[in-house]
Amino acid sequence: MEYTTNYLKMSRVELLERVQMQMGERRFKHVLGVEEMAIALAGRYEADIEAASIAALTHDYAKERDRDEMQELIRKEGFDLDLLNYGSEIWHGPVGAFLVQKELGVQDDLILDAIRKHTVGASEMTLLDKIIYVADFIEPNRDFPGVAEAREIAIRNLDEAVAFETKHTLHYLIEKNTKIYPQTIATYNTWVAKS
C-alpha cells in the first residue's frame, strides 16, 4: 500500500520500521495482523483504508514502553491522573496517541482517537474507532474461545462486534477480579446494555 501525504510524512515502509523499533517480534506480528483486519473491515464498511492502516500499525506504539516513562508522561503532559490507578494495559492507548503524534508526526484526530480508544472503547465511537477496537480483538493471530464468532459478527455488523467484544472483555476482567476502568463500563452501557 502506498501512503499519500494526507496523514503522514513518511511511507508505509518507513512507518513499519519506526513501529518495529518500539516492540518485540511477537507484538509486531500482532500489529501486522491488526492492520490486515483493519484494512479488511475498512473495505467492508467503506472507511478510509489508509487511515485504518496507520491507526492499526500505531495502536500499540506505547505498549512495551517502560512503565515509569509512561507514568511520568501521564503526570507531566496533563493526562487524567486517574489513569495512574490502572495499569499499562489502559495507559498505552492515550499515551500511545500522544507519542504517535509527538514522535511520528500523526496529526489526524480520527487516527489519534482510534489509538486512544482501542483498549477500552468509548460511549461515542467513530467508524475508525470501531474498526481498530474490533480489529485488535479479532486479528488473525488471536486464538481464544469466541474469536471465530467475533470474526463472523464483525463481517456482518460492526456495532454488534463492538458489543460482543466489550461483553467478552468485561466478562474476562470480572473473572480475573481485575479493576475495571470507568470508560469500559461506559462502553458497555452504550453498546451492550441499550435498554
Side-chain angles (χ1 to χ4, degrees), residues 76-93:
K76 188 175 117 186
E77 298 298 335
F79 287 93
D80 179 357
L81 295 180
D82 188 43
L83 280 170
L84 297 172
N85 295 316
Y86 300 88
S88 62
E89 289 297 318
I90 302 299
W91 304 343
H92 82 273

Side-chain angles (χ1 to χ4, degrees), residues 10 28 39 51 68 73 128 136-137 153 163 185 187 189 195:
M10 65 179 84
F28 187 64
I39 288 170
D68 291 338
L73 282 170
L128 184 60
D136 187 31
F137 190 69
I153 293 169
I185 301 295
T187 304
N189 287 340
S195 56

Side-chain angles (χ1 to χ4, degrees), residues 56-123:
L57 290 176
T58 57
H59 82 282
D60 273 353
Y61 189 75
K63 181 83 172 187
E64 295 183 4
R65 289 283 175 120
D66 179 74
R67 288 177 56 86
D68 291 338
E69 177 189 358
M70 285 202 278
Q71 287 175 333
E72 181 61 27
L73 282 170
I74 290 167
R75 286 187 185 97
K76 188 175 117 186
E77 298 298 335
F79 287 93
D80 179 357
L81 295 180
D82 188 43
L83 280 170
L84 297 172
N85 295 316
Y86 300 88
S88 62
E89 289 297 318
I90 302 299
W91 304 343
H92 82 273
V95 171
F98 172 81
L99 292 171
V100 164
Q101 183 176 28
K102 181 179 171 191
E103 296 178 3
L104 301 177
V106 174
Q107 301 300 320
D108 185 83
D109 288 333
L110 289 176
I111 292 172
L112 296 172
D113 280 344
I115 297 167
R116 279 184 199 98
K117 295 174 185 175
H118 85 272
T119 58
V120 296
S123 55

Side-chain angles (χ1 to χ4, degrees), residues 169-193:
T169 299
L170 266 174
H171 179 74
Y172 173 80
L173 294 172
I174 290 166
E175 287 294 312
K176 300 209 42 112
N177 295 318
T178 302
K179 195 172 184 180
I180 299 171
Y181 190 61
Q183 191 171 321
T184 307
I185 301 295
T187 304
Y188 174 85
N189 287 340
T190 299
W191 297 96
V192 180

